[in-house]
Amino acid sequence: MRRVSLIEATCPIARALDEIGDWWTLLIVRDAFGGKTRFGEFQKSLGLAKNILTERLKTLVANGVLEKRPASDGGARSEYHLTEKGRQLRVILFALRQWGEDHLFEDGEEMMVARDRGNLPIARLRLMNSVGDTLAPEDIVTAKGRKRKQTAHASTRTTLA
Amino acid sequence: MRRVSLIEATCPIARALDEIGDWWTLLIVRDAFGGKTRFGEFQKSLGLAKNILTERLKTLVANGVLEKRPASDGGARSEYHLTEKGRQLRVILFALRQWGEDHLFEDGEEMMVARDRGNLPIARLRLMNSVGDTLAPEDIVTAKGRKRKQTAHASTRTTLA
């Protein structure tokens, strides 16, 4: 259990974990990417207690990761769809996926595998600087700065103080 | 709280979340990348109850993400260092960082900013297939497969069943 909220932290990692950092939240998002939209579909997939799923879905909607829509078939049950903010969690899921593939499975073990629609494998995510040099952990430093105003397709979104 | 373990799941995301999917674990790892090695340093940085920190460090060592070493100054207190498995969590931390930067800060707000040692910004992580095409979420599918034997620098580590 958390003892403090991290939402006031200046570290984007801390703030992201405050918002999406528990198992169920990212698994609900994973299932939403897989096309699931209904409470019952998430519940069946995750085997999660209904009260916990209700609470997690409510938080995801409140945080703008999912949006609740009327049923597309005109029925009584609402649907949950990823927002653009939610869709951008895809990279986090793939970073988790690749690390999991590398370290948590034995050779030959059964595993869900991701491909593109043309059946090509997904490239490994790599940390690079803005000119394309691959970076090792010790090549990276952090310092106090400020968030820079976002512009479309900006490759640099931050500035040092 | 989790009701079921995900470690038997065939989904690498589920398995990764089972191992590292709580706030404190990834924040300890973040601090280890930042050069912290001592119990007291993690405790001061995270403001975390000692019993919880003790338990999380023990789990990280048991899972091979951190290793415990005698103090480098010959003192009584052990140090915790990232293993290679732990170092490879860097990409997950950066995926969290970039999403946090984009969605959880206001323009101009104070924020910890990452750069490389030459002061160049870090490139945005992008999902691409093995020939370099950028992929949207709907371009990606998952299917049952198996983990392929890892070879050095292999770009493809998985195979469909």
Side-chain angles (χ1 to χ4, degrees):
Chain A
M1 304 295 279
R2 278 181 298 174
R3 300 300 174 92
V4 296
S5 170
L6 304 168
I7 202 63
E8 293 301 321
T10 56
C11 172
I13 297 169
R15 228 180 257 197
L17 288 171
D18 193 73
E19 187 155 316
I20 50 150
D22 79 341
W23 304 270
W24 296 124
T25 299
L26 282 177
L27 290 173
I28 292 167
V29 169
R30 175 201 64 178
D31 282 354
F33 277 115
K36 295 181 174 53
T37 60
R38 294 280 180 87
F39 187 94
E41 291 177 304
F42 294 116
Q43 218 247 318
K44 190 176 168 199
S45 165
L46 299 171
L48 178 57
K50 286 184 182 183
N51 62 325
I52 297 179
L53 179 58
T54 300
E55 189 262 311
R56 290 295 191 284
L57 286 170
K58 196 174 287 185
T59 301
L60 283 164
V61 170
N63 287 338
V65 171
L66 294 178
E67 61 180 358
K68 204 170 173 175
R69 295 184 199 164
S72 51
D73 61 3
R77 282 172 288 203
S78 308
E79 295 180 354
Y80 296 90
H81 291 266
L82 288 163
T83 62
E84 186 54 34
K85 178 180 176 182
R87 283 166 55 88
Q88 291 179 11
L89 290 168
R90 190 72 179 196
V91 178
I92 296 172
L93 291 181
F94 265 83
L96 287 163
R97 172 184 291 281
Q98 293 182 346
W99 188 82
E101 287 175 357
D102 285 348
H103 297 289
L104 305 176
F105 287 79
E106 304 294 330
D107 291 343
E109 191 176 356
E110 190 179 321
M111 177 169 80
M112 292 302 292
V113 174
R115 294 288 172 119
D116 77 358
R117 295 202 175 276
N119 203 29
L120 287 172
I122 314 301
R124 175 166 291 270
L125 292 165
R126 280 197 308 138
L127 278 175
M128 297 181 292
N129 64 16
S130 56
V131 296
D133 302 321
T134 299
L135 300 175
E138 46 279 359
D139 299 328
I140 299 170
V141 292
T142 54
K144 279 188 185 173
R146 295 195 174 275
K147 171 156 170 162
R148 193 147 84 175
K149 197 169 186 314
Q150 279 185 275
T151 52
H153 308 296
S155 64
T156 310
R157 290 149 298 108
T158 57
T159 183
L160 293 177
Chain B
M1 304 292 281
R2 276 180 299 174
R3 300 298 174 92
V4 296
S5 172
L6 304 167
I7 203 62
E8 294 301 323
T10 56
C11 171
I13 297 170
R15 228 181 257 198
L17 288 171
D18 194 73
E19 187 156 316
I20 51 150
D22 79 341
W23 304 270
W24 296 125
T25 299
L26 282 177
L27 290 174
I28 293 167
V29 169
R30 176 201 65 176
D31 282 353
F33 277 115
K36 294 182 175 52
T37 60
R38 293 280 179 87
F39 187 94
E41 291 177 304
F42 293 116
Q43 218 247 318
K44 189 176 168 197
S45 166
L46 298 172
L48 179 56
K50 286 185 180 183
N51 62 326
I52 297 178
L53 178 57
T54 300
E55 189 262 310
R56 290 296 191 284
L57 286 170
K58 196 175 285 184
T59 302
L60 284 163
V61 170
N63 287 339
V65 171
L66 294 179
E67 61 179 357
K68 204 169 173 176
R69 294 185 198 162
S72 51
D73 61 4
R77 282 171 288 203
S78 308
E79 294 180 355
Y80 295 90
H81 292 266
L82 289 162
T83 62
E84 186 53 33
K85 177 180 176 181
R87 284 165 55 88
Q88 291 179 11
L89 290 168
R90 191 71 179 197
V91 178
I92 296 173
L93 291 182
F94 266 83
L96 287 163
R97 172 184 291 282
Q98 293 181 346
W99 187 82
E101 288 175 357
D102 286 348
H103 297 288
L104 305 177
F105 286 80
E106 303 293 331
D107 291 342
E109 190 177 356
E110 190 177 322
M111 177 169 80
M112 292 303 291
V113 174
R115 294 289 172 117
D116 78 356
R117 294 203 175 274
N119 203 28
L120 287 172
I122 313 300
R124 175 166 290 271
L125 292 165
R126 280 197 309 138
L127 279 175
M128 298 181 293
N129 64 16
S130 55
V131 296
D133 302 322
T134 298
L135 300 174
E138 46 277 0
D139 300 327
I140 298 170
V141 292
T142 55
K144 279 188 186 174
R146 294 194 175 275
K147 172 157 169 164
R148 193 146 85 175
K149 197 169 187 309
Q150 278 185 274
T151 52
H153 309 295
S155 64
T156 311
R157 290 151 297 108
T158 56
T159 183
L160 293 177

